[in-house]
């Protein structure tokens, strides 16, 4: 990912501070510009249209509450005010205004989870106000709402995605690289939402799983090689196009378990939402993929 000048300078400074100059080319190439959201104050719903996690969404009258295929109301997760996000979207990926809403069906199984991502343009938000679900939602719980505070962040490859041979040497081990990563991202304990970073997990294959399902509708068999072959077939044998597609499958949202909100994804895991870069830049949120990671 291409870093803007300010982020490049900050990264270079952090690389020097943490004695990682041997890994500078790798980190400059693979560090991502991200958006992070932390819990601010408990929501009192006096100001509609703010970025929020949990609780109830602010929906305009013409938007219907998303239902599962069984006709049960989905559970509201978060709404993101894109005007707020745009100030921190240093890669210019998101629409500059409007609102994104995330809803989920049951959190089982952990792959291809039923969900909806709604994008409502700014000119369609008139009359948006707090909307309570028409009946108990699919997760059968009520969750506490919190306003979100948004900031820009940088993220180096995490445990699942880092090439250890690139960052470790005779004097720097993985723990020291991890210290660098935490300092770079300035991650807060109250952080609950991240966008465009590296998905947390045990393996570096989440984008392969998402790309395979989004393009072909086929389930992932936990083999990157097989997934790439299937995606290559989709592109008429063009492996370069298939590789580019996996690289252009972006983590639109990562949502943490959080005791204050009441979200707990299996054993305190995370929900991941993915989107094709092509769709994201076109403002098309009708085709996304949702999965769950829990240790």
């Amino acid at each position: 990912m291409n870093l803007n000048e300010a982020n490049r300078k900050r990264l270079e400074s952090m690389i020097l501070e943490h004695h990682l100059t041997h890994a500078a080319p790798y980190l400059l190439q693979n560090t991502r510009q991200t958006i992070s959201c932390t819990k601010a104050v408990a929501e009192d719903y006096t100001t509609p249209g703010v970025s929020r996690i949990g609780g109830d969404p602010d929906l305009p009258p013409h938007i219907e509450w998303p239902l599962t295929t069984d006709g049960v109301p989905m559970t509201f997760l978060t709404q993101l005010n894109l005007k707020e996000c745009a100030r921190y979207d240093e890669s210019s990926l998101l629409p500059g205004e409007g609102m994104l809403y995330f809803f989920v069906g049951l959190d089982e199984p952990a792959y291809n989870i039923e969900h909806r991502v709604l994008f409502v343009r700014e000119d369609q938000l008139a009359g948006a106000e707090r909307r309570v679900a028409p009946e108990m939602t699919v997760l059968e719980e009520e969750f506490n709402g919190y306003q979100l505070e948004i900031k820009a962040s940088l993220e180096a490859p995490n445990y699942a995605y880092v090439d250890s041979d690139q960052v470790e040497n005779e004097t720097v081990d993985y723990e020291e690289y991890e210290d660098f990563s935490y300092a770079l991202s300035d991650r807060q304990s109250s952080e609950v939402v991240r966008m465009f970073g590296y998905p947390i997990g045990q393996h570096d294959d989440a984008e392969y799983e998402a790309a395979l399902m989004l393009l072909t509708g086929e389930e992932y068999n936990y083999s990157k090689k097989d997934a790439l072959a299937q995606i290559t077939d989709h592109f008429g044998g063009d492996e370069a196009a298939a590789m580019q597609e996996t690289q252009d499958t972006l983590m639109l949202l990562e949502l943490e378990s959080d005791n204050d909100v009441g979200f707990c994804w299996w054993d305190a895991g995370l929900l991941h939402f993915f989107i094709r870069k092509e769709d994201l830049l076109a403002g098309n949120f009708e085709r996304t993929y949702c999965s769950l990671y829990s240790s």
Side-chain angles (χ1 to χ4, degrees), residues 24 77 91 102 207 226 264 270:
L77 300 175
S91 298
F102 292 80
E207 293 84 358
D226 290 350
C264 187
L270 312 96

Side-chain angles (χ1 to χ4, degrees), residues 15 63 76 89 117 119 130 150 168 271:
I15 288 171
I63 297 295
F76 168 68
D89 181 16
V117 179
F119 170 48
R130 181 183 185 183
I150 303 171
E168 295 183 51
L271 285 182

Side-chain angles (χ1 to χ4, degrees), residues 209-282:
E209 176 183 336
L212 181 64
M213 178 59 70
L214 289 171
L215 288 170
T216 72
E218 298 293 330
E219 291 184 2
Y220 184 56
N221 69 356
Y222 302 99
S223 167
K224 288 169 59 175
K225 180 179 178 180
D226 290 350
L228 183 61
Q230 290 172 278
I231 297 170
T232 299
D233 287 344
H234 174 82
F235 284 105
D238 189 341
E239 185 172 339
M243 284 297 300
Q244 188 63 52
E245 185 66 31
T246 62
Q247 294 170 17
D248 286 346
T249 300
L250 306 177
M251 188 184 78
L252 177 62
L253 189 88
E254 180 176 76
L255 190 143
E256 299 260 8
S257 295
D258 186 84
N259 290 333
D260 294 332
V261 178
F263 289 153
C264 187
W265 312 114
W266 292 19
D267 186 17
L270 312 96
L271 285 182
H272 290 126
F273 293 80
F274 294 91
I275 190 169
R276 299 176 67 227
K277 185 177 182 179
E278 175 183 312
D279 288 334
L280 177 60
L281 294 177

